[in-house]
Amino acid sequence: MNDTTDACTAPHDDCGIAGETLETVAFLARSEHRLGVLALLDGTARTRSDLEAHTDATRVTLSRVLNDLTERSLIEHDPSSNAYTLTQFGALVYRDFDRLLGTVAVGQALPSVINRLPVDWFGFDLQCLAGSEHVGTEQADPLAAARVVAGAVGAADSCRSLLGTFISLPMYTFGEAVRKGTAPSVTVIADAEVAATMTEDAALRERWEAIEAGTDRTTYYRIGERVPCSVDLIDGETVFLTVNRHQDAGFDVLRSTHPDVVAWAHATIESMQAGAVPLSQAARADD
C-alpha cells in the first residue's frame, strides 16, 4: 500500500475549497494596494477618482486592482453613480482580515507580553491593543511602570480600579494627595487575593484605612473572585492593564485609549462593583 495516499481521497473531501481559500488569502496578503482599496471602501462608496486621490497606486495598477477585486466578488461597481462598494462578502472578508492583521501587529509590538494577556477575559478584539503603549520599558528602574500608573492616578480627576495584581505605589500617591487635600475621586475593587494582602499586611491596612478616614467615604472594596489582570480607568478615557510575569518577578503595564478598551473597562468595573463589599467590612468580618 502506498504510504503517500492523497488526503483528498478522504470522505467529505474539501481540499479544493481549502486551496481556493488559501489562494484568496494570499491574493490579498500579497498586495498592500488591494487591502488599501478594501479599507477605503469599508462602509463608504467611492468613485475611481476618489480612490486615485487616496492611494499611491498608479492608474494602471489601480485599474488592475479594481478588476481583480471585482472578479473575486469582493467589490462591485455601480455604473449609475460610477462608485465602487464592498460586497457583503467583501465586507466580511475585510473585517476578518483586518482583525488578523491587528492581532499580528499586537504580537509583533508586544512579543514579551502577548502570551500572558487574558484574551478570553477581554471583551474587545485583541487588535484594539495594537496602538497601546508598553509603559516603563525604556527605564532600568523595575518600578518604572508602577510609577507611570501612580503618576496618572495623582494627576487624574477620577480613577476606578479593579485589582488582580497589587502595586503599592498608586496607593501611596493617592494617600499623599489625600493628605494634601488634592485627592481625585478614586474607587478601588480588589480581588480575593489582593484583598487578602491589603487586610493581612498591617502597614497596608493602616494606610488604606487612613485614606478612607481622610476622604470620609468608602474607597476600597473586595470581591470574592480572582481577576486575571489589573484594570485602571483614568478619567474615563485611559486604561492601564497590568499583568504579572509568570517566570520573572514583576509585571507589565499597557496603556490604551482605544474606545473599545475604555468601554470594556468601564462595563467590567461597573459589573464587579455591583457585587463588591466594602473592604473595611470584609476586614472586620475576617478579624
Side-chain angles (χ1 to χ4, degrees):
M1 182 175 180
N2 191 341
D3 289 337
T4 59
T5 302
D6 189 347
C8 289
T9 61
H12 306 293
D13 172 21
D14 57 8
C15 292
I17 297 176
E20 292 174 4
T21 301
L22 290 174
E23 196 280 329
T24 298
V25 172
F27 160 79
L28 291 174
R30 284 194 302 264
S31 171
E32 292 184 9
H33 292 311
R34 292 167 187 156
L35 287 174
V37 167
L38 294 182
L40 287 170
L41 296 178
D42 184 30
T44 305
R46 295 181 184 269
T47 63
R48 181 188 293 261
S49 59
D50 191 16
L51 291 170
E52 287 177 357
H54 287 85
T55 67
D56 58 1
T58 65
R59 297 186 67 179
V60 172
T61 297
L62 181 59
S63 291
R64 185 171 62 249
V65 167
L66 293 174
N67 288 336
D68 289 344
L69 293 174
T70 301
E71 288 178 0
R72 292 172 182 266
S73 300
L74 294 168
I75 67 172
E76 56 190 358
H77 180 247
D78 180 3
S80 64
S81 62
N82 194 30
Y84 290 87
T85 58
L86 292 181
T87 63
Q88 180 171 302
F89 171 58
L92 292 171
V93 168
Y94 176 70
R95 180 196 64 191
D96 289 342
F97 212 94
D98 185 55
R99 182 181 294 117
L100 172 62
L101 292 177
T103 299
V104 173
V106 173
Q108 292 174 331
L110 306 168
S112 63
V113 183
I114 186 151
N115 290 326
R116 290 181 282 109
L117 294 176
V119 294
D120 291 338
W121 185 56
F122 292 154
F124 53 84
D125 287 337
L126 188 60
Q127 65 173 331
C128 295
L129 294 178
S132 63
E133 179 187 1
H134 190 187
V135 304
T137 57
E138 71 284 355
Q139 301 179 40
D141 180 4
L143 295 178
R147 296 187 196 283
V148 172
V149 178
V153 172
D157 291 323
S158 69
C159 174
R160 303 180 69 198
S161 301
L162 174 62
L163 302 185
T165 297
F166 181 72
I167 304 175
S168 59
L169 281 177
M171 179 188 287
Y172 297 156
T173 299
F174 181 47
E176 185 64 15
V178 170
R179 188 183 67 80
K180 293 179 179 179
T182 59
S185 172
V186 172
T187 298
V188 179
I189 305 162
D191 78 359
E193 188 172 301
V194 172
T197 299
M198 294 176 66
T199 57
E200 294 170 5
D201 184 296
L204 289 177
R205 180 166 177 171
E206 180 180 353
R207 187 173 293 274
W208 62 258
E209 287 181 336
I211 287 173
E212 292 198 331
T215 57
D216 196 29
R217 63 181 293 270
T218 300
T219 298
Y220 295 94
Y221 294 82
R222 185 185 78 172
I223 55 174
E225 59 189 278
R226 286 282 288 140
V227 296
C229 78
S230 289
V231 183
D232 296 286
L233 179 58
I234 307 295
D235 289 334
E237 59 187 21
T238 300
V239 175
F240 289 94
L241 301 173
T242 302
V243 291
N244 280 320
R245 295 172 179 163
H246 297 322
Q247 301 296 330
D248 304 319
F251 46 84
D252 290 285
V253 178
L254 304 180
R255 173 167 47 198
S256 175
T257 57
H258 193 287
D260 289 359
V261 179
V262 172
W264 168 82
H266 175 78
T268 300
I269 293 172
E270 282 281 315
S271 175
M272 291 294 183
Q273 187 170 3
V277 298
L279 186 59
S280 57
Q281 176 183 323
R284 288 193 298 270
D286 293 339
D287 287 343

